Amino acid sequence: MTTLISSHRIAAPAAEGGAPAKTAHAPFLPTLVTFVATALLATGQLYGVIPLLGAMGREWHAPASALTWMASAFGFGYAAGFLVFGPLSDRFGRRRIIVTGIAATAVTTALVSLAPGLGAAIALRVLQGVTTAAFAPVAFTYIAERAEQRHRATLLSAVIGAFLASAVFGQLAAQGIAAVAGWRAVFAVFAVAFALVAAALRKVMLPGRPDTAGSPLDAYRAMPRLLAHRRLIPLYLATPVVLGSFVALYTGLALTGAAGGAAALLALRAAALPAIIAIPFVTPALQRFHGAHRATGALTLTAVAAALIGFAHPGTLGLAILLNAFVAGIGLTAPALIETIGGHAGPARGTAVSLFTFILFVGASFGPQVAGALSAHGLPALAYVLGALLALGATLTLTARR
């Protein structure tokens, strides 16, 4: 089996789990639609609870400090699940893991709607996060293996863009449903949506032959080797700053009041949607560049945008423009890192991408803490620190060039 993949493509084994043979490619448009819909739903669960916290607090007579765990609990379960399902997909197949996990998420999401109190709800949110994690790392690996080379970057960028857009989608959908039917109905509706996308994923994804050779623990045994891989170390070190800076900046906008009220902040999030929509169309044109170089350029763009936010003190329009540049850089960085990490990982691609996704969302979990520590000094201080971290990330990815 191939141990090193070309810098501009990732070899596509026919069977899921890595069994080598030639197979049909994944259908482009059905895969794009179902994967984007699933990504919006999956990561939307992290953000969708935010507009519901007030109603939950009133029903359970719980303080705001306790209710924030409704968001954090999902995030911790989500990140932990990446380390479970990516390696398992190497063993049992990509489609089986994704479809089973998303079907299970329909159940765990419905259970949240029935939670009798805050403690039970937090526990169920952890479980919901774990089952939802079956999608992201396995989907990245599936695209790298089964999509045509000319469609691979577009699909990866579209899924990454959906993860970013879910910050807007999750809150708007939850807010709209809750206004009509209450907060419990939000999770009931999302549960039905997960059941529908699970059925669609089963229909659209290509079946594959699981890899039955060796032990199911082989994927986990590969983790120390991947973390010590000299070409992967700088890429993994750069990964936390990608989503971490995204979450930190938007959290800082809220904490410092630079964006105005909650409605203005939501409008600024929505204002970045043009960049998110454009990413899948721009990425194919950049495929002639090595993945590590694309990551370096995208992180540099994001670092410059962050620094300008701090330096220029832009008004609402200027901030919206710079946020588009910032989000574009984030959206272009992630698929470039996935391609490069997968190329260096060889047959352990599924495990390597799972580690990437885990580190990516651990970084996102620390984003609010960074914002909380620096926002007292104003948005410029936060923007400068994020710009420096992103510049460091760009330097690290540059060293990963073969």
Side-chain angles (χ1 to χ4, degrees):
M1 183 174 289
T2 304
T3 56
L4 286 176
I5 317 297
S6 165
S7 63
H8 293 289
R9 63 184 179 86
I10 300 177
E16 298 183 54
K22 285 189 177 181
T23 59
H25 291 296
F28 172 66
L29 190 57
T31 302
L32 176 70
V33 172
T34 53
F35 275 35
V36 165
T38 308
L40 283 171
L41 269 174
T43 309
Q45 301 308 300
L46 180 62
Y47 303 102
V49 75
I50 295 172
L52 311 179
L53 297 181
M56 291 175 173
R58 287 189 294 272
E59 179 175 332
W60 292 328
H61 306 289
S65 58
L67 286 165
T68 57
W69 282 99
M70 286 294 290
S72 298
F74 179 89
F76 289 134
Y78 198 41
F82 295 145
L83 295 181
V84 176
F85 293 112
L88 284 181
S89 74
D90 286 339
R91 171 74 176 185
F92 297 105
R94 316 297 182 207
R95 187 175 77 165
R96 181 183 299 179
I97 291 296
I98 285 182
V99 172
T100 302
I102 295 302
T105 301
V107 176
T108 57
T109 304
L111 289 174
V112 175
S113 72
L114 302 174
L118 181 58
I122 289 172
L124 288 170
R125 284 282 286 174
V126 174
L127 185 60
Q128 185 197 22
V130 170
T131 58
T132 308
F135 176 70
V138 185
F140 291 150
T141 307
Y142 176 85
I143 290 169
E145 292 175 343
R146 307 305 293 267
E148 286 187 68
Q149 182 180 346
R150 63 195 176 101
H151 292 147
R152 216 169 281 158
T154 302
L155 287 170
L156 284 172
S157 299
V159 173
I160 291 293
F163 286 143
L164 298 176
S166 68
V168 179
F169 165 79
Q171 292 189 65
L172 288 179
Q175 202 168 345
I177 297 168
V180 174
W183 74 263
R184 292 184 184 272
V186 174
F187 292 99
V189 171
F190 281 152
V192 173
F194 275 117
L196 292 174
V197 296
L201 287 164
R202 193 183 191 294
K203 183 177 179 62
V204 168
M205 291 183 71
L206 298 176
R209 187 174 68 252
D211 184 3
T212 57
S215 165
L217 298 177
D218 286 346
Y220 298 96
R221 296 189 183 110
M223 286 185 180
R225 175 175 57 81
L226 291 168
L227 290 172
H229 193 300
R230 65 185 179 87
R231 299 195 191 280
L232 293 179
I233 288 172
L235 298 173
Y236 283 141
L237 288 175
T239 298
V241 76
V242 179
L243 274 190
S245 62
F246 174 80
V247 175
L249 182 59
Y250 277 100
T251 304
L253 286 172
L255 293 178
T256 61
L265 179 59
L266 201 57
L268 273 177
R269 283 197 175 110
L273 288 177
I276 294 171
I277 293 170
I279 288 168
F281 300 97
V282 173
T283 301
L286 303 176
Q287 281 298 99
R288 65 182 182 273
F289 299 105
H290 185 278
H293 284 171
R294 295 203 314 274
T296 300
L299 283 170
T300 301
L301 169 65
T302 312
V304 170
L308 285 175
I309 288 173
F311 176 76
H313 301 282
T316 303
L317 178 60
L319 187 56
I321 293 171
L322 288 173
L323 284 175
N324 267 275
F326 183 89
V327 170
I330 296 294
L332 292 170
T333 299
L337 285 175
I338 291 168
E339 177 184 328
T340 310
I341 288 170
H344 290 319
R349 182 188 298 108
T351 305
V353 174
S354 293
L355 284 170
F356 162 80
T357 318
F358 169 75
I359 296 169
L360 187 73
F361 279 91
V362 166
S365 300
F366 280 106
Q369 308 305 318
V370 174
L374 295 173
S375 291
H377 304 287
L379 184 62
L382 173 62
Y384 289 141
V385 170
L386 293 180
L389 290 173
L390 288 160
L392 176 60
T395 304
L396 287 167
T397 57
L398 187 61
T399 66
R401 175 69 172 94
R402 285 182 58 189

